[in-house]
Amino acid sequence: MAAVAFLLILAIGPLLVPDLRAEPAIWIFSGVLVGVAVLRAFTGRRSGIVTARQVKYSRWWGYTSHDGTGERDMREKLGR
């Protein structure tokens, strides 16, 4: 979310300066940055280090086993 906020600040900042606001290129630049910020906000792309637990539980269909079969392994969840 920090990246989205930073992109929005970069997009809106030049539009606050009256001399820059008159230039069409600044409007195009700001529009592109706002578009990138919206895409980044809605796609939810992860960045940074992701733990194994986050990968394990981030599947759309829920918990999956470590071997990738998709079967729910209750022994693994119970620590056996």
Side-chain angles (χ1 to χ4, degrees):
M1 281 301 182
V4 172
F6 183 69
L7 286 172
L8 288 175
I9 289 170
L10 283 178
I12 295 172
L15 295 177
L16 298 176
V17 179
D19 291 339
L20 293 177
R21 195 179 318 142
E23 297 292 327
I26 296 298
W27 284 94
I28 294 169
F29 175 74
S30 294
V32 168
L33 285 181
V34 168
V36 169
V38 168
L39 282 175
R40 182 149 177 102
F42 284 116
T43 58
R45 194 176 80 173
R46 286 190 190 171
S47 61
I49 299 172
V50 179
T51 64
R53 185 175 182 88
Q54 288 171 327
V55 170
K56 185 168 145 181
Y57 288 103
S58 68
R59 307 275 187 219
W60 286 0
W61 51 88
Y63 175 83
T64 58
S65 62
H66 285 295
D67 61 1
T69 60
E71 296 178 10
R72 296 169 190 249
D73 190 357
M74 290 306 294
R75 289 180 288 121
E76 184 180 345
K77 286 178 85 172
L78 296 174
R80 295 182 190 164

